[in-house]
Amino acid sequence: MKKDPFNVVVTGVGGQGNVLASLLIGAVLVDRGYKVTIGETYGASQRGGSVMSHLRISRDRQYGPLMPPQQADLVIALEPSEAARILGQFGNPETVSVVNSRPVYPVDVISGDITYPDLDELKEKIRSLSRESYFLPATEKALELGNPILSNIVLIGYAAGAGLLPIDVDGLEKAIAEYLSPEKVPINREAFLCGMNMVR
Amino acid sequence: MALISKDDPGRELLLMGNEAVARGALEAGISVAAAYPGNPSSEIIGSLAEVAEDMGIYVEWSVNEKVALEVAAAAAVSGLNALVAMKQNGLNVASDFLMNLNLTGIRGGLVLVVCDDPSGISSTNEQDSRILVKSADLPLLEPSTFHEAKDMVRFAFEVSREINNVCMIRSVTRISHARGNVTLGPLPSARPKPHFDTNIILSALPASLTHPTAHRRFRQAKRLLADSTFNSYQGPDTPELLVITCGSGYLFSQEAVRLLGLESRVGLLKIGTTWPLPEELILSRLRDAGRVLFIEEVDPFLEDNVLELFAEHNTTLPKVSFLGKKSGTVPDLGELSPGLIIGILADLMKVSRPHADEAYSSTATDALRNFAPARSLAFCPGCPHRASYWAVKKALALDGRDGVVFGDIGCYALGVLATGFHQSKTLHAMGSGTGMASGFGMLGRFGATQPAIALCGDSTFYHAAIPALLNALHHQSDLLMIILDNSATAMTGFQPHPGSSVNAMGSQAPAVVIEDLCTSLGLKTVIGDPFDLDESAVTIYELLQESGTKVLILRQMCALVGAKKGPRRYTVTVDQDKCLGDECGCDRFCTRVFRCPGLNWDVSLKKARVDEAICAGCGVCADICPSHAIVRERA
Ligand code: SF4
Ligand code: SF4
């Protein structure tokens, strides 16, 4: 990793599977000899709130489960407005963002109490807060694979394919088999490769 | 082979703090583990339950925390090692037993792990559990890392066996629900055979005899903890500032010191054995520190106890100024964060904090203000509670007597928010809704005319609402208890409860059926389907017109459990020709009021739309639309 500690935020909305995504990234890296700490903020995770995981990756020490403000090196966002929320707190001019373009509307937006930002303006804001940013139709790809929840693995696959995370498909398979279950390997492998193939 | 039971000493794994605790218990050779689920503690027993059969241990989800502690204590008084885990509210439930058990002591090992939830991220309250160990004369350990959480559990069992009393471990969300590297130790091969020595009577009575024993055991614990390696100091010999910290504060403080380049000026004293304190170590550090800063979560526990120690030794110590929660330097509530500690240290040490450039910061502020819309908590798409609250709301409107809904603990606690149409009016402890409704239902004699509804989940029913229901029945209180039976402890991860036909270890278990229990008491008991909105509302209305104590069970599986168990019930779409959009007189009833996340308002079309990636297919919203534009088809 270029920096130590390397700080990653995986963010999204309850039910999008970002806790699992960060667990898998972490498991692969611990197996490769890194010290990894993951802190999750998921009050009522299943129930529509924002969910973020902080990953602190280091060669030499165990870092705390939350990163200081403005210290994110990589943001993986399962939802675009959540990317803005994280960049606003933890971003810096060097941060790289990998973002699922599909919005998940808060109930407050559904009810008409507040509005969701214009998607193009939102993307522009994310770009202006990132050194590099990538927007992907991860949910659409995941729906093609049969389950919207797979968008998390699609995004990790993309980040790995773009050289942003030192993870390969073998490491991921091993982690899934060991930390989840061997039955979950094939579909997640497919989603990971699908993400990797989206890198041009 | 499950993660926490891997027999691979020396292997490094990424474990959640709670899994590390569970692994520590396995390495310590536990025979029994029990808990009632409550975040952030649930995964401790959850992960032990998964490996129970392989490891030959007994694990149960007890009916409540007091019973969990009693179950574990029975094993411990018979010479075994037992672990019990709970969240801060659970300790309140268990404390009546604990405050007697501490006087009788135990024969084997009993470790009580309490996971506090600073900021109440997944709790109704914020509470520091540590205060109880002082009145109970029990030792307390606080882990700062994941690996330490594992090793501390092992050590806690040694202490417990040595002093013949309970040893408590306090974890917090940022340890329990975080993950980090843990190096596995060996697993034991043999376990003792339980035996209750009937020559000994375990009674706290008379306290004049048992209380001195507890004090003696406590002094013994003090000697055992005094040189623990869980306490350590790093920094210069005579620091300008001494930070005394414990728990999650340690890693945050360590990073803050490094980030600000203060390694040669600030010392870090990490305390793992927070009660009784390692007095010699602390006194020796106080001698060389002019200024002390306390970093800990929730109450000033460490702070108070160090100040007490300082006062006892004030004639032999130099002048020290103490900073912490009492001086207002550190907030006296809520979670800690590295940003917070960086700010405090930068101010105290007069160094500048790292900052991004101006232009970036103002864009960041704009992003937070205008591009990150708030996300209120809401019931899941397809959650039966949304439907139940809808029916309650309708029934109360029909009834017209300003009925009061007494709420309770579970996912349905969100009923105080817009997602439950603000129907619940009270929210306190497990079972309290029924207890309060029982009292309110007695107030008719003073002229009260508002009907009382107690809402209660299935797991909460078994945990604490049954005594309240008996109370209501016996005193003929006028109340309708609505049991929202979603066949799971949904809030905490779907653990089984006495109504389930399997137990924690996955074996068949006789289910205690709610309606059987209620009818056997002679209670009028009705069962309904919350997804049938109209029928449910009418039933509630009719039951409210009857006097006495009545029970309505609204039964429908938690949407998340349902999604795991089978395909969705309906494919739901909005017929764009029938949806009148902004032209419809309903004023966006489906989205503005019903608020299921599966339904969106398409701003460009000005019409409702179902998001197929989110909709769970319950079909309920089809009954909401006055134009019948929402169409459900059997999937
Ligand atoms: S059918 Fe309607 S109420 Fe049910 S989950 Fe889908 S959008 Fe929500
Ligand atoms: S977890 Fe289950 S009970 Fe809880 S809000 Fe979601 S669907 Fe409802």
Side-chain angles (χ1 to χ4, degrees):
Chain A
M1 303 242 125
K2 288 179 216 96
K3 206 178 131 277
D4 200 299
F6 189 74
N7 295 321
V8 183
V9 184
V10 182
T11 184
V13 178
Q16 283 193 303
N18 82 0
V19 173
L20 192 75
S22 50
L23 166 66
L24 290 177
I25 298 173
V28 174
L29 295 176
V30 166
D31 209 48
R32 297 189 51 180
Y34 288 92
K35 300 275 178 221
V36 179
T37 305
I38 306 176
E40 273 137 5
T41 300
Y42 59 100
S45 59
Q46 312 288 11
R47 293 153 277 266
S50 308
V51 183
M52 65 167 174
S53 309
H54 288 195
L55 278 106
R56 322 290 313 276
I57 304 161
S58 169
R59 272 291 172 195
D60 54 61
R61 64 170 67 217
Q62 199 83 46
Y63 277 84
L66 291 174
M67 69 183 66
Q70 292 141 19
Q71 298 281 322
D73 299 301
L74 172 64
V75 173
I76 298 179
L78 293 156
E79 204 280 345
S81 71
E82 292 307 315
R85 195 188 314 281
I86 291 303
L87 287 165
Q89 301 166 73
F90 299 99
N92 64 63
E94 294 302 311
T95 308
V96 176
S97 309
V98 177
V99 184
N100 181 10
S101 325
R102 178 158 169 145
V104 175
Y105 298 109
V107 273
D108 319 76
V109 167
I110 290 172
S111 65
D113 296 337
I114 55 175
T115 52
Y116 193 88
D118 175 81
L119 202 54
D120 291 328
E121 285 177 32
L122 175 58
K123 285 184 177 173
E124 198 39 53
K125 194 49 70 181
I126 292 168
R127 274 188 206 104
S128 67
L129 287 170
S130 316
R131 191 185 77 217
E132 290 163 33
S133 49
Y134 306 95
F135 295 91
L136 317 173
T139 304
E140 287 71 13
K141 288 283 175 195
L143 281 168
E144 283 170 24
L145 293 167
N147 193 340
I149 194 90
L150 293 168
S151 59
N152 57 357
I153 307 296
V154 173
L155 288 178
I156 299 180
Y158 188 90
L164 302 168
L165 282 173
I167 289 180
D168 59 14
V169 72
D170 294 339
L172 187 86
E173 280 183 23
K174 184 176 175 209
I176 293 173
E178 192 163 28
Y179 284 75
L180 304 177
S181 78
E183 301 93 77
K184 301 219 162 114
V185 170
I187 185 71
N188 284 292
R189 179 196 152 88
E190 214 183 316
F192 186 82
L193 290 176
C194 162
M196 273 192 133
N197 291 335
M198 287 163 81
V199 181
R200 270 181 270 271
Chain B
M1 174 60 74
L3 216 50
I4 65 155
S5 59
K6 270 191 197 303
D7 194 5
D8 194 0
R11 171 88 197 272
E12 223 165 301
L13 291 175
L14 179 67
L15 294 187
M16 188 188 259
N18 282 343
E19 292 170 332
V21 167
R23 172 69 189 198
L26 291 177
E27 290 181 10
I30 55 155
S31 298
V32 171
Y36 179 81
N39 285 336
S41 74
S42 307
E43 296 82 5
I44 297 174
I45 301 298
S47 58
L48 285 170
E50 279 175 30
V51 303
E53 211 183 296
D54 283 355
M55 299 298 293
I57 58 174
Y58 174 72
V59 180
E60 73 167 41
W61 286 119
S62 309
V63 69
N64 64 36
E65 293 86 352
K66 179 166 173 280
V67 174
L69 182 58
E70 287 154 354
V71 164
V77 299
S78 309
L80 304 179
N81 277 354
L83 182 95
V84 60
M86 53 194 65
K87 67 185 295 180
Q88 78 274 6
N89 311 79
L91 183 63
N92 302 337
V93 176
S95 63
D96 192 7
F97 178 62
L98 182 66
M99 298 307 285
N100 284 278
L101 183 66
N102 65 332
L103 297 184
T104 70
I106 52 170
R107 311 269 123 210
L110 179 47
V111 172
L112 163 61
V113 184
V114 181
C115 302
D116 281 354
D117 184 12
S119 291
I121 297 172
S122 39
S123 308
T124 47
N125 74 348
E126 179 180 61
Q127 179 189 329
D128 194 321
S129 296
R130 298 177 294 175
I131 194 75
L132 197 76
V133 293
K134 287 187 86 171
S135 53
D137 282 322
L138 295 175
L140 172 73
L141 309 176
E142 291 188 64
S144 287
T145 68
F146 317 95
H147 184 77
E148 190 174 74
K150 187 202 73 156
D151 283 352
M152 253 184 194
V153 173
R154 262 172 44 190
F155 178 64
F157 274 106
E158 285 168 27
V159 172
S160 171
R161 292 193 83 91
E162 193 73 33
I163 67 167
N164 290 127
N165 214 343
V166 181
C167 184
M168 183 165 136
I169 292 181
R170 184 235 198 182
S171 178
V172 290
T173 307
R174 294 298 170 196
I175 301 290
S176 276
H177 271 180
R179 291 171 205 268
N181 294 53
V182 174
T183 308
L184 303 183
L187 294 169
S189 46
R191 285 189 188 79
K193 179 169 180 279
H195 178 73
F196 191 115
D197 183 351
T198 49
N199 294 312
I200 297 167
I201 292 176
L202 289 175
S203 158
L205 198 84
S208 59
L209 292 182
T210 54
H211 208 166
T213 311
H215 287 159
R216 183 176 52 71
R217 289 175 169 142
F218 179 71
R219 286 193 296 274
Q220 204 183 343
K222 193 165 176 173
R223 288 192 291 276
L224 287 171
L225 302 189
D227 334 295
S228 161
T229 50
F230 295 125
N231 308 317
S232 65
Y233 176 76
Q234 62 197 84
D237 289 341
T238 50
E240 291 169 49
L241 178 75
L242 175 69
V243 175
I244 304 184
T245 183
C246 63
S248 60
Y250 170 63
L251 288 178
F252 293 156
S253 303
Q254 195 182 44
E255 182 166 10
V257 168
R258 273 167 59 101
L259 215 84
L260 295 170
L262 293 170
E263 289 102 323
S264 61
R265 297 174 60 197
V266 174
L268 211 55
L269 179 59
K270 164 191 173 293
I271 305 295
T273 64
T274 37
W275 189 252
L277 287 175
E279 297 185 349
E280 280 314 313
L281 174 69
I282 292 176
L283 288 171
S284 72
R285 284 293 146 205
L286 289 181
R287 275 186 201 107
D288 297 321
R291 257 194 330 172
V292 169
L293 172 69
F294 295 98
I295 300 286
E296 62 188 314
E297 271 184 330
V298 189
D299 288 340
F301 180 77
L302 196 54
E303 183 172 346
D304 280 346
N305 295 330
V306 171
L307 287 177
E308 206 175 285
L309 182 68
F310 180 81
E312 283 166 20
H313 295 266
N314 70 334
T315 51
T316 59
L317 288 170
K319 246 181 101 182
V320 181
S321 67
F322 291 100
L323 303 167
K325 296 177 188 283
K326 304 197 134 159
S327 63
T329 315
V330 181
D332 60 359
L333 77 170
E335 280 207 306
L336 295 171
S337 71
L340 178 80
I341 299 172
I342 288 168
I344 294 170
L345 281 180
D347 289 350
L348 288 177
M349 302 306 292
K350 304 206 169 32
V351 292
S352 61
R353 48 186 104 183
H355 55 273
D357 63 82
E358 294 274 312
Y360 190 93
S361 298
S362 73
T363 316
T365 311
D366 181 48
L368 285 177
R369 198 167 296 150
N370 300 316
F371 291 87
R375 285 191 193 271
S376 304
L377 293 179
F379 294 126
C380 298
C383 175
H385 296 329
R386 181 179 291 102
S388 296
Y389 274 115
W390 188 265
V392 166
K393 181 179 162 175
K394 241 178 134 172
L396 286 178
L398 208 64
D399 176 83
R401 287 176 293 165
D402 194 19
V404 185
V405 177
F406 294 87
D408 224 305
I409 310 289
C411 284
Y412 55 98
L414 296 185
V416 296
L417 307 176
T419 192
F421 321 113
H422 303 288
Q423 291 301 292
S424 273
K425 303 300 177 195
T426 68
L427 180 58
H428 300 90
M430 294 287 285
S432 299
T434 307
M436 287 180 78
S438 165
F440 190 78
M442 302 305 296
L443 302 183
R445 69 194 62 211
F446 303 116
T449 53
Q450 297 163 280
I453 293 181
L455 285 186
C456 177
D458 41 339
S459 195
T460 306
F461 176 78
Y462 300 106
H463 179 288
I466 293 175
L469 179 62
L470 297 184
N471 191 70
L473 172 67
H474 180 65
H475 297 103
Q476 299 177 347
S477 178
D478 290 318
L479 78 91
L480 170 61
M481 182 184 200
I482 303 183
I483 300 171
L484 304 173
D485 182 3
N486 61 2
S487 23
T489 315
M491 185 87 190
T492 49
F494 322 113
Q495 296 82 359
H497 54 54
S500 316
S501 49
V502 286
N503 61 22
M505 302 190 290
S507 331
Q508 291 293 313
V512 179
V513 181
I514 299 176
E515 55 269 34
D516 291 356
L517 190 72
C518 293
T519 42
S520 75
L521 295 169
L523 280 160
K524 169 149 192 178
T525 308
V526 182
I527 301 173
D529 176 359
F531 282 173
D532 194 337
L533 291 178
D534 291 338
E535 175 86 28
S536 299
V538 169
T539 310
I540 295 169
Y541 170 81
E542 284 173 359
L543 287 169
L544 285 178
Q545 311 314 309
E546 294 178 28
S547 60
T549 308
K550 296 93 36 185
V551 172
L552 168 63
I553 302 167
L554 289 178
R555 181 167 288 149
Q556 190 57 254
M557 223 185 282
C558 158
L560 298 184
V561 176
K564 282 189 190 132
K565 287 218 168 133
R568 52 175 74 193
R569 292 153 53 115
Y570 296 103
T571 305
V572 181
T573 46
V574 176
D575 183 334
Q576 295 296 319
D577 296 333
K578 281 199 188 151
C579 176
L580 302 177
D582 274 344
E583 309 303 311
C584 175
C586 78
D587 187 17
R588 301 169 53 173
F589 200 54
C590 54
T591 46
R592 186 178 57 82
V593 186
F594 192 62
R595 302 165 73 107
C596 174
L599 277 173
N600 281 334
W601 194 257
D602 192 317
V603 250
S604 49
L605 294 174
K606 298 193 169 53
K607 284 184 182 186
R609 185 162 60 75
V610 172
D611 185 334
E612 81 277 18
I614 296 174
C615 168
C618 72
V620 168
C621 57
D623 291 333
I624 300 287
C625 173
S627 312
H628 305 290
I630 305 178
V631 194
R632 61 174 174 228
E633 272 172 74
R634 279 268 167 211

